[in-house]
Amino acid sequence: MENNIVRLAVQKSGRLSDESFDLVAQCGIRVNRQDHRLKASATNFPMELLYLRDDDIPEYVAAGVADLGIVGENLIIEKQKEVRTIKTLGFGKCRLSIAVPRSLNYESKRDLNGLTIATTYPRSLSRFLEEHGIKANIREIRGSTEIAPSVGLAEAVCDLVSSGSTLLRHGLEETHVVFESQAALIASNQLSPEKQSVLDRWLFRLDAVLNARECKYILLNAPDESLEQIVKTLPSLRSPTVVPLAEEGWSSVHAVINENRFWEVLEQLKDLGSTGILVCPIEKMIIDDEVLP
Ligand code: PRT
Ligand code: ZN
């Protein structure tokens, strides 16, 4: 029984923590964590959570100490451990970028030659410099990368960026994106068949939660004369549901619509004479042969 329990490593406390815990909870998995302990068991699913520093998660999963982990792609790329990326999770979005002081009057990649670049991502930076034929020095530091140029430790930085306000505050200008990143689920390469089947059960739930996050349920009233056009405008799972209203000449249309195209579609629907448009969140969405709208 014991070896059927999958161990999921999550960030103990940091930018990925809350959304990692929420994702587990939204999959209906209840975790009983007491006093901020480093390990906790789920009460209704064969899963155990390990609470770690994010930097350690790829190593723990590669070593098989944890079976699964939720960690930024930035660390998966940087740490180069033998793990499988199962899926990206849509949060913790950022990019690893090179930035230089605005006073440098930077023009092109060539200006990086001969500079010292401070980073906590030496491998990723080194690969980028090599690929672009840039000869710069890498100074590996532990944190607070953005202050390195102002204290004379380096002439440029390579750090994670999300809003860009940290760079701005420190007089730095983003010049190159090394890669884009978001949180991902990783797995050990040595999962037993029992653990793989627990992972498959969890993935079924995870997909239902992640698919639902991307979509909204929409209901509207459509005049019959533009019904055909309205139905064509609406992407949906298979096709929209159309139900006649009690009032002659009108129908109610129900559909599932992707967040990406949401406002654009809504405008078209209004132009086609739709009224009483309601938009509702979807909690879980299970799709088989149908593709996301
Ligand atoms: O203690 P532990 O080691 O677990 O945590 P940590 O302090 O190393 O990591 P944490 O919690 O800061 O970040 C965890 C993960 O969140 C990262 O590995 C990324 O995958 C992801 N992430 C997303 C970010 C950012 N966005 C981000 N903006 N990680 C860090 N930053 C930092 C960046 O380093 C810079 O200092 O935020 C600053 C820039 O932010 P903006 O918004 O000003 O551009
Ligand atoms: Zn860290």
Side-chain angles (χ1 to χ4, degrees):
M1 180 63 200
E2 173 73 12
N3 58 7
N4 290 354
I5 296 176
V6 297
R7 275 192 173 172
L8 168 69
V10 290
Q11 189 186 21
K12 182 174 51 183
S13 115
R15 287 170 200 261
L16 303 182
S17 304
D18 286 347
E19 287 186 89
S20 303
F21 306 160
D22 284 353
L23 203 55
V24 170
Q26 282 168 14
C27 290
I29 300 173
R30 279 197 296 276
V31 178
N32 201 357
R33 187 181 181 195
Q34 288 164 348
D35 321 322
H36 291 273
R37 289 199 189 156
L38 298 184
K39 203 165 97 173
S41 299
T43 54
N44 59 352
F45 196 77
M47 183 180 274
E48 214 168 61
L49 265 65
L50 290 187
Y51 301 86
L52 304 173
R53 285 200 56 201
D54 67 344
D55 312 66
D56 295 334
I57 293 176
E59 170 68 37
Y60 269 65
V61 174
V65 177
D67 303 299
L68 308 172
I70 296 178
V71 68
E73 290 177 302
N74 47 305
L75 287 176
I76 307 172
I77 297 169
E78 177 65 20
K79 301 286 179 185
Q80 293 181 14
K81 300 290 177 194
E82 297 271 318
V83 296
R84 288 186 282 154
T85 297
I86 305 289
K87 59 169 42 243
T88 51
L89 301 171
F91 62 90
K93 289 188 177 168
C94 57
R95 54 195 185 272
L96 183 70
S97 287
I98 297 178
V100 300
R102 273 199 297 276
S103 54
L104 197 72
N105 294 322
Y106 181 90
E107 276 174 7
S108 78
K109 269 193 302 236
R110 264 182 297 161
D111 296 344
L112 293 176
N113 281 308
L115 297 190
T116 297
I117 309 176
T119 191
T120 49
Y121 289 82
R123 283 193 176 146
S124 308
L125 174 59
S126 156
R127 197 173 333 138
F128 177 87
L129 295 176
E130 212 168 287
E131 276 169 18
H132 291 80
I134 301 164
K135 298 234 174 312
N137 310 306
I138 298 175
R139 168 156 280 176
E140 183 175 352
I141 57 172
R142 280 274 166 136
S144 306
T145 315
E146 61 279 357
I147 63 163
S150 60
V151 298
L153 207 55
E155 289 140 321
V157 301
C158 175
D159 195 11
L160 298 178
V161 180
S162 45
S163 68
S165 66
T166 304
L167 292 183
L168 201 68
R169 249 198 336 273
H170 290 85
L172 298 166
E173 167 190 10
E174 193 175 352
T175 57
H176 298 282
V177 175
V178 176
F179 56 65
E180 307 262 352
S181 173
Q182 59 176 294
L185 173 65
I186 55 171
S188 147
N189 287 331
Q190 317 129 32
L191 283 191
S192 65
E194 292 81 11
K195 286 185 174 177
Q196 180 64 47
S197 93
V198 175
L199 169 59
D200 292 341
R201 279 180 63 202
W202 187 38
L203 280 177
F204 174 75
R205 299 183 185 194
L206 209 51
D207 282 338
V209 171
L210 294 174
N211 290 338
R213 282 184 183 178
E214 280 182 39
C215 296
K216 297 267 181 260
Y217 193 74
I218 179 163
L219 302 97
L220 56 88
N221 294 329
D224 283 349
E225 61 270 17
S226 45
L227 190 59
E228 204 182 313
Q229 273 254 281
I230 287 175
V231 167
K232 266 200 215 136
T233 307
L234 276 170
S236 199
L237 280 182
R238 197 170 291 274
S239 73
T241 307
V242 179
V243 194
L245 287 189
E247 185 182 332
E248 191 121 337
W250 284 84
S251 298
S252 168
V253 181
H254 304 197
V256 172
I257 165 172
N258 196 297
E259 193 99 80
N260 295 334
R261 293 202 48 219
F262 181 70
W263 289 108
E264 177 199 334
V265 171
L266 216 57
E267 281 161 13
Q268 290 171 16
L269 292 172
K270 259 188 86 45
D271 290 346
L272 288 165
S274 308
T275 62
I277 303 175
L278 298 181
V279 181
C280 314
I282 300 173
E283 196 175 311
K284 309 279 188 298
M285 199 163 116
I286 292 133
I287 46 179
D288 307 316
D289 52 340
E290 290 141 322
V291 283
L292 275 177

